[in-house]
Amino acid sequence: MAKADIPELPEDDEGKIQFLIEQMTLDEKLAQLGGIWCTDLVGSVDGTDGFSAEAATEVMPDGTGQITRIAASTGLRPPEIAEFVNEIQRWLITNTRLGIPAVIHEESVAGLCARDAVQFPQAIGLGATFDAGLLSQVATHIRAEMLAIGARQTLSPVLDVARDPRWGRLEETYGEDPVLCGTLGSAFVSALQNNDGGGLIGGVVCTGKHFLGYAASDGGRNHGPAHIGSRELREVHAEPFSAAIRDADLKSIMNSYASVDGLAPAGSRALLTELLRDELGFEGTVVADYFAVDLLRTHHRVAPTKGVAAAKALLAGLDQELPALDCFSPEELGPLVDAGVVPMEIIDMAVTRVLTHKVELGLFEQPFADVDMARAMFGTPMGRNLARRAAEESMVLLANDQSLIPLGTTGALSRVAVIGPAANDPRLMEGDYHYPAHLEIIYDSGVESALLPEAGGAFKPGPYFPEIVTPLAGIRNRLESSGVETSHAAGCGVTAEPEDEAMIAEAALLAGESDIVILCLGGRSGLTPTATVGEARDATDLDLTGSQMDLLRAVAATGTPVVSVICSGRVHTLEELEQLSAATLLAWVPGVEGGTAIASILFGDVAPSGRLPITLPHHVGQTPIHYGYRRGGARSQFWGDYTDSPAAPLHPFGFGLSTTTFEYSDLQVETGSTEEYSSMSVMVTNTGSRAASEVIQLYASDEIASVARPERQLVGFGRTRLEPGESVTVSFKIHPSRLAFYDEDFRFVVEPGAFDLEVGGHAGTPKLTATIDLPGEVHQYRQRDVVATSTTFAQL
């Protein structure tokens, strides 16, 4: 049937979808279940690289489900991206038989991965804020940028629970705790999907990843198999996904690369249907992580051919192949459909889910981007101010001997030395999914074989760095009117170089002539061999890389006080560093306003308020390490410590110092039951002399249970800013389902009995404690129905 012979689409959504499926050939259906690399649509038009109708005719004659990463694969600026999107959509609507527009997807784990977009702190830094409201604002900004360029699906957020710092992708996560990851992830998803503003018509489909257990691989190796029991798999690793589904209506999920107890997620019905859909209630699309369908054949070796890999994936519950149609193609999958191995009902179900998103996004009515909006929404002062606030909230003060921080500038200092490889290198302020750091996998000449395709001309991806404030620039900007002289030396690189010895000597000389040294150390996040952390950049050694510790030792030997600032997505072993430093600030990978935020913290414009979303070990030999060990797991029996190291971490989850003091008092508890809410309230007072934010953490510990439970678990948290002398009453409302677990019969239950509640401080070191004794019978819940703890604040 020619396009002219196709009747107009019905107006109602269900009718529209059903009509299209009835009209489709198998080739057209399979086209909707895959994507097209944006670079495959680029050709030479009048001697200039641009959208090529000839290329489009060749690679997507039957249409396509998605267009893969225009912003995150090219050097196009926002208006050019919008124009390219419009050319693609116009061609699809005009030149394919059914005229179905495509979804353009991008990356946005820490800001839209696009030229000129705001690059926020990497996700682990956002996790350190413990601020769901901030995550909503960051996601709202990302949504505005995505809508402006016509991108309608993001492959974010990362909801993996990360407990092994050897794994390079830990920096993309919100940390080690399922409740923290789920709460922040839900806030991010809700704002991007526009849940409070009318839904996907003005929103972006979020894709939670990576389902499931990706961060728990053997040895911290990327794509490595994970060995996780069914109870741990659900209670820990599935919980952030469950939270995003039930609390934020997460629309899409991406599979993990790592097999779980031998099950490759892209081809596992037990994971993608029985657990994800049947148990957790997910109703959206499951999209393949890039090349994951073919990895069933080449990596996991559970399929002999691409066609069989496609069949396994579809029958398991995976709907859409990314980045491009390959195993799902008519050539590979078609014969298995014709043979009845993959029933047409399975194909139609997947197509229905894909088309449902397109209908919900309003693409049939408005597939085009507004080029003028693309010009207006990027590079705004509001976006940079938000990036600065996010960076400030993310930073964790780990040590502060003799209250050195905040640094005085009135008469106390005359010369400040800013030293270290991260002091003035904008590249080190970026994470592995920031633009353009991520695109090094395309344009870096040091990569022998490009992992992703590249286009030329205006499409060539870079590098095109945004305006990034380095620590040196931030400190100089802060001190420019104070009369304090600022000097700089790199000292060394993040990896060992022949010239390091001479550079260290130069830096030590500079340090000895200064009143204080701000030593900026760190790592290089990315995906290429030159990176020290990031996707596929796993490590066995958690020390700072290269000659950085030699630099610290040399600088500290001068006797000048050292403030160490760590700019890295890696969780490092920092015990010696803290011993040699007067103060230590963990700045993570802080994004475009990182230097401004560092200066604000160091010189007292903003009090540090970040809290560790991840446990810091003394030594790599303690890994995997986290606070949520099951009973008896936090120490070596029976003496407690290792023979060569404490069993306790250097710094626990939730830890972070402030430059003021907070007092907790007036603890009030109301006990509910196994079916009714319990509540706790506490008064928090700023008893110091500086305005600051406090993160109030609430942990629960099940004293006796039918199976071994964690020593403690985070059940709620909140963040509030208090002026000196100001007080606030913080109230938590705890539903019993928040305390539920899988019992011996694998029922998700709350058992009656005593629960210890710990509030304030950090994991294992509370400010106040209380015990509630829940009455009632053993009550069964479903994980998909867990009620999140609510936190409210009443100013006094």
Side-chain angles (χ1 to χ4, degrees):
M1 185 180 292
K3 185 175 182 67
D5 298 326
I6 304 294
E8 289 189 8
L9 292 176
E11 293 186 3
D12 67 291
D13 292 347
E14 289 188 11
K16 189 176 300 180
I17 294 167
Q18 185 60 38
F19 171 81
L20 287 170
I21 290 176
E22 290 174 354
Q23 299 295 322
M24 284 181 178
T25 65
L26 176 60
D27 287 6
E28 289 169 331
K29 290 177 180 180
L30 295 181
Q32 291 299 312
L33 302 187
I36 297 290
W37 274 110
C38 68
T39 49
D40 287 343
L41 300 173
V42 178
S44 181
V45 180
D46 298 328
T48 303
D49 286 334
F51 174 77
S52 167
E54 181 178 320
T57 301
E58 180 179 349
V59 300
M60 54 180 190
D62 298 306
T64 185
Q66 301 217 8
I67 302 295
T68 293
R69 298 190 353 167
I70 300 173
S73 300
T74 74
L76 296 179
R77 305 199 95 130
E80 297 165 332
I81 295 171
E83 290 171 350
F84 190 53
V85 166
N86 290 346
E87 289 178 301
I88 293 170
Q89 300 287 36
R90 190 174 294 113
W91 189 91
L92 285 169
I93 292 167
T94 304
N95 292 279
T96 61
R97 194 174 69 92
L98 296 174
I100 301 173
V103 171
I104 286 83
H105 76 254
E106 297 288 353
E107 304 276 3
S108 69
V109 66
L112 175 60
C113 190
R115 189 174 178 183
D116 299 332
V118 174
Q119 304 302 296
F120 294 96
Q122 181 63 298
I124 191 66
L126 295 176
T129 70
F130 280 67
D131 191 342
L134 173 68
L135 268 289
S136 294
Q137 292 180 51
V138 168
T140 297
H141 181 89
I142 293 170
R143 184 182 79 223
E145 290 183 336
M146 291 192 69
L147 291 175
I149 62 171
R152 302 305 299 275
Q153 182 162 352
T154 178
L155 306 186
S156 299
V158 174
L159 297 175
D160 296 304
V161 176
R163 294 178 166 182
D164 191 332
R166 297 172 296 177
W167 185 54
R169 298 193 77 171
L170 181 144
E171 67 172 52
E172 299 173 42
T173 77
Y174 299 129
E176 71 178 45
D177 181 78
V179 170
L180 178 65
C181 294
T183 302
L184 298 184
S186 294
F188 188 89
V189 169
S190 184
L192 260 168
Q193 292 186 171
N194 197 35
N195 290 355
D196 296 329
L200 289 181
I201 288 291
V204 172
V205 169
C206 275
T207 307
K209 60 188 189 184
H210 308 83
F211 198 84
L212 191 62
Y214 186 32
S217 61
D218 281 354
R221 294 186 292 273
N222 198 41
H223 292 211
H227 302 288
I228 310 170
S230 296
R231 185 172 283 103
E232 189 87 355
L233 187 71
R234 287 162 173 79
E235 293 178 357
V236 175
H237 298 279
E239 176 52 28
F241 293 90
S242 184
I245 293 165
R246 65 182 178 247
D247 297 334
D249 190 25
L250 178 63
K251 295 293 186 180
S252 182
I253 278 177
M254 175 178 279
N255 71 277
S256 165
Y257 286 124
S259 64
V260 181
D261 192 26
L263 299 177
S268 171
R269 180 173 177 81
L271 294 173
L272 298 186
T273 296
E274 294 170 13
L275 174 54
L276 178 60
R277 296 193 186 278
D278 298 344
E279 290 187 38
L280 302 185
F282 179 68
E283 296 180 348
T285 57
V286 176
V287 302
D289 205 343
Y290 285 13
F291 315 110
V293 178
D294 196 34
L295 286 175
L296 294 174
R297 176 181 66 92
T298 62
H299 180 69
H300 299 290
R301 305 296 294 271
V302 296
T305 66
K306 289 187 175 188
V308 172
K312 286 182 71 72
L314 277 162
L315 292 171
L318 192 147
D319 301 305
Q320 203 163 33
E321 183 180 23
L322 299 181
L325 197 68
D326 178 21
C327 300
F328 279 22
S329 68
E331 295 76 17
E332 300 291 346
L333 183 60
L336 280 81
V337 176
D338 293 339
V341 175
V342 179
M344 189 61 72
E345 291 79 6
I346 296 294
I347 302 291
D348 288 350
M349 185 182 301
V351 175
T352 297
R353 292 177 183 136
V354 170
L355 292 179
T356 296
H357 282 342
K358 294 188 176 186
V359 168
E360 291 175 335
L361 290 165
L363 286 176
F364 287 93
E365 293 74 28
Q366 181 48 270
F368 302 112
D370 185 331
V371 177
D372 290 334
M373 186 67 71
R375 292 190 178 93
M377 292 309 301
F378 287 75
T380 65
M382 184 180 300
R384 292 196 70 95
N385 287 339
L386 183 59
R388 174 188 51 78
R389 177 189 154 201
E392 289 170 348
E393 288 193 20
S394 73
M395 295 183 185
V396 183
L397 186 62
L398 296 176
N400 191 18
D401 293 352
Q402 301 179 353
S403 300
L404 181 64
I405 305 298
L407 299 172
T409 57
T410 306
L413 299 176
S414 61
R415 190 173 188 190
V416 174
V418 185
I419 294 174
N424 199 35
D425 187 344
R427 174 63 181 80
L428 302 189
M429 300 297 104
E430 290 207 326
D432 66 347
Y433 272 76
H434 281 130
Y435 188 98
H438 182 72
L439 278 74
E440 286 174 348
I441 55 174
I442 301 175
Y443 67 75
D444 189 345
S445 59
V447 181
E448 292 184 5
S449 58
L451 299 174
L452 302 178
E454 178 180 5
F459 287 80
K460 190 173 178 60
Y464 299 110
F465 279 93
E467 181 182 340
I468 296 175
V469 182
T470 65
L472 176 64
I475 291 165
R476 280 183 169 163
N477 291 340
R478 175 62 176 74
L479 297 179
E480 63 182 354
S481 62
S482 67
V484 178
E485 179 184 348
T486 305
S487 54
H488 166 251
C492 67
V494 294
T495 54
E497 301 293 342
E499 59 269 23
D500 282 351
E501 185 176 351
M503 294 176 67
I504 289 172
E506 177 191 357
L509 182 63
L510 183 64
E513 298 171 344
S514 304
D515 299 314
I516 198 162
V517 173
I518 299 172
L519 184 63
C520 301
L521 307 172
R524 181 186 176 98
S525 297
L527 287 80
T528 66
T530 58
T532 63
V533 61
E535 185 173 359
R537 306 310 299 138
D538 314 312
T540 63
D541 187 343
L542 301 184
D543 289 342
L544 287 160
T545 54
S547 304
Q548 293 185 87
M549 285 304 298
D550 292 334
L551 173 63
L552 171 58
R553 295 181 191 110
V555 169
T558 67
T560 303
V562 177
V563 176
S564 291
V565 179
I566 313 302
C567 300
S568 178
R570 174 81 67 202
V571 172
H572 294 286
T573 48
L574 300 176
E575 188 166 19
E576 183 185 3
L577 179 141
E578 291 189 18
Q579 292 169 353
L580 295 174
S581 305
T584 305
L585 182 69
L586 184 53
W588 310 104
V589 186
V592 294
E593 285 289 334
T596 306
I598 288 168
S600 296
I601 298 290
L602 294 183
F603 292 100
D605 302 323
V606 176
S609 59
R611 301 293 182 262
L612 288 175
I614 198 84
T615 301
L616 300 191
H618 286 276
H619 189 274
V620 68
Q622 292 176 276
T623 61
I625 187 169
H626 54 90
Y627 86 92
Y629 293 113
R630 294 186 185 269
R631 292 290 187 184
R635 63 194 303 271
S636 177
Q637 304 297 330
F638 44 80
W639 297 122
D641 287 333
Y642 295 98
T643 60
D644 55 356
S645 171
L650 177 64
H651 293 298
F653 175 88
F655 176 82
L657 300 177
S658 178
T659 50
T660 192
T661 54
F662 295 96
E663 179 181 280
Y664 285 67
S665 61
D666 195 22
L667 181 66
Q668 304 288 328
V669 176
E670 292 186 9
T671 302
S673 69
T674 56
E675 298 183 59
E676 298 173 333
Y677 284 95
S678 296
S679 62
M680 168 186 275
S681 66
V682 64
M683 186 167 70
V684 181
T685 303
N686 182 346
T687 54
S689 60
R690 306 178 61 80
S693 294
E694 170 72 332
V695 175
I696 301 96
Q697 303 166 45
L698 176 62
Y699 297 87
S701 176
D702 194 343
E703 288 192 359
I704 302 293
S706 58
V707 300
R709 300 289 295 129
E711 297 278 356
R712 57 185 47 82
Q713 59 187 120
L714 185 71
V715 294
F717 60 90
R719 182 186 176 101
T720 186
R721 187 178 187 277
L722 295 173
E723 296 294 324
E726 187 179 10
S727 298
V728 64
T729 296
V730 186
S731 298
F732 296 97
K733 192 175 181 183
I734 312 159
H735 192 269
S737 62
R738 180 76 283 170
L739 306 173
F741 62 93
Y742 287 91
D743 68 4
E744 293 174 294
D745 297 321
F746 221 74
R747 301 174 304 163
F748 193 64
V749 301
V750 176
E751 297 174 343
F755 290 80
D756 297 324
L757 301 180
E758 304 173 342
V759 66
H762 49 266
T765 309
K767 295 286 188 178
L768 296 172
T769 62
T771 300
I772 57 175
D773 199 341
L774 293 187
E777 302 295 325
V778 174
H779 191 79
Q780 187 167 351
Y781 292 93
R782 296 187 302 177
Q783 189 173 0
R784 63 195 290 179
D785 297 327
V786 167
V787 178
T789 300
S790 65
T791 309
T792 57
F793 300 90
Q795 300 294 133
L796 301 178

